[in-house]
Amino acid sequence: MNFYMPTMVYQENDAVKNHSEQMAGYGKKALVVTGKHSSKQNGALQDVIDGLEKYHTAYAVYDRITENPTVDAVMEAAAFGQQEGADFVVGIGGGSPLDAAKAVALVIQNRDSSKEVLYQNISLRHLPVVAVPTTCGTGSEVTPYAVLTREELQTKQSISHLIFPELALVDGKYLKNAPLSVITNTAVDALGHMLESYFHTRATDYSRMLCQYAMEVWGMAAGVLFGTEPEEEDYGRLMFASSLAGMAISHTSTGLPHGLSYYLTCRKAVPHGKAVGLFLPGYLSVLPEEYEPQVIMALRTLGFGSLGQFLGFTQEVLGTLGLTEQEEQEMVEGIAKNQKKLDAVPFAITKEQIYQMCSMVR
Ligand code: NAP
Ligand code: FE
């Protein structure tokens, strides 16, 4: 077994403020990469700016990253960062700005490269990245992945380079005023990471340990998704569960539900977490009988009595989709060609079983 997780993580109240000296010390000028609105509303952007100013580190803000960032958006942000002379990158937001920040850090470092470099299998250096998550889903603050939309291929794909942030500053307070839909969609993405990583070809006792504890912590806070009045600690719990699940997928990568989700996101604009969550009951249902004790353990740890109850949960909080037969066929045929995702499944899955997973989404 082996396990590698090089990101320095602080999870605490006022994490950015408490560790701003370290954050500001990665270079002379930061490129802050974020989305249009939320980091201004939840205070994360101001916390980062205050921290950089306190230690006299210059910065420039690029705040035009949208959901499911494209390769072109990354190239635009990188050109801006180069022009500004940035020598490190601070990503603030959900997975979209954090992933964009990693890809931008690669492009800025490799000055004259074109966008093709993102998907080339060559070893390249990148600028240091600091990650400040504001959703509870992707775990991008502790993963080496940067998932971008490749418009010409009508799909999403992680870039070829593995870029762990140097520093992750995790604070549940940024979630407090988020709409329930953002909390739900992202918490369900984290759930997908736990389950796909646990039932993954590359899972080891190290990664399963992270998944198991992530499930326990997630289960403690899941009432929030059903509309239970949140306890103060629930926001931190959801973020913690997301980071733990991120560490697990850093080791294993994600599995089939993520592979299938990209079709729904790219073709039908379904948010990432929802697109993943809809396939999770189906994935558990096609696991061979010998996995049953582990499936029961996972569901109980999360707070579900049975697979049926779990399906009820995903349908209640995520809704259903209205997929046509043609769409279902395209999705299954597409994933059946994706050897990487098929290899992630720890048994020989058939096309019929993938159809079965999809039928639970309709
Ligand atoms: P996101 O796409 O980053 O953001 C979704 C929406 O939530 C945006 O409208 C954003 O607004 C808003 N938002 C973010 N934080 C908020 C807050 N605290 N309060 C209110 N609104 C908030 O969402 P995400 O689900 O976190 O990230 C999804 C992306 O991550 C996908 O591209 C997915 O493929 C990728 N992903 C990456 C990994 C990885 O390991 N790197 C793993 C799984 C998924 P603004 O635009 O205004 O900020
Ligand atoms: Fe995900």
Side-chain angles (χ1 to χ4, degrees), residues 43 65 87 102 106 120 157 232 235 306 313 322 333 346 356:
I65 298 296
D87 57 2
K102 295 176 193 174
L106 181 95
Q120 279 168 356
Q157 217 178 15
E232 185 69 21
Y235 301 108
S306 65
F313 158 79
E333 295 304 325
Q356 186 188 322

Side-chain angles (χ1 to χ4, degrees), residues 34-39 41-42 65-69 92-99 102 133-141 143-149 156 158 174-179 182 185-186 189 193 239 246 249 254 258 262 265 271-273:
T34 188
K36 279 200 176 112
H37 306 292
S38 67
S39 66
Q41 287 154 358
N42 61 37
I65 298 296
T66 55
E67 288 180 52
N68 309 303
I92 311 172
S96 297
L98 300 190
D99 286 5
K102 295 176 193 174
T134 67
T135 65
C136 52
T138 70
S140 180
E141 67 279 5
T143 75
Y145 311 125
V147 184
L148 303 181
T149 299
K156 295 178 64 171
S158 197
Y174 301 132
L175 266 185
K176 254 187 213 166
N177 296 312
V182 169
N185 286 335
T186 61
D189 182 25
H193 299 161
M239 284 244 186
I249 59 165
T254 55
H258 265 71
Y262 297 145
T265 298
H272 173 69

Side-chain angles (χ1 to χ4, degrees), residues 276-332:
V276 168
L278 289 166
F279 293 109
L280 294 175
Y283 186 52
L284 296 185
S285 82
V286 299
L287 285 168
E289 217 178 324
E290 67 258 32
Y291 289 92
E292 199 180 315
Q294 286 156 290
V295 170
I296 293 172
M297 177 283 300
L299 289 172
R300 290 212 177 124
T301 310
L302 291 163
F304 301 106
S306 65
L307 190 52
Q309 203 191 350
F310 181 47
L311 178 63
F313 158 79
T314 56
Q315 288 175 339
E316 185 186 330
V317 304
L318 303 174
T320 46
L321 260 187
L323 267 188
T324 64
E325 254 176 55
Q326 194 196 332
E327 287 168 338
E328 188 176 300
Q329 201 178 340
E330 273 176 24
M331 200 163 66
V332 176

Side-chain angles (χ1 to χ4, degrees), residues 136 179-189 191 218 221-230 234 238 304 313 316-318:
C136 52
L180 185 57
S181 59
V182 169
I183 295 183
T184 300
N185 286 335
T186 61
V188 168
D189 182 25
L191 181 59
W218 191 95
V224 176
L225 313 187
F226 294 111
T228 308
E229 187 59 35
D234 283 341
L238 288 170
F304 301 106
F313 158 79
E316 185 186 330
V317 304
L318 303 174

Side-chain angles (χ1 to χ4, degrees), residues 47-106:
D47 285 350
V48 166
I49 288 175
D50 290 347
L52 294 169
E53 286 181 349
K54 183 171 175 196
Y55 292 97
H56 310 289
T57 299
Y59 61 89
V61 179
Y62 183 90
D63 62 0
R64 298 222 298 271
I65 298 296
T66 55
E67 288 180 52
N68 309 303
T70 60
V71 166
D72 290 340
V74 163
M75 296 310 289
E76 184 184 295
F80 173 71
Q82 273 166 357
Q83 199 185 311
E84 290 288 335
D87 57 2
F88 72 108
V89 181
V90 183
I92 311 172
S96 297
L98 300 190
D99 286 5
K102 295 176 193 174
V104 165
L106 181 95

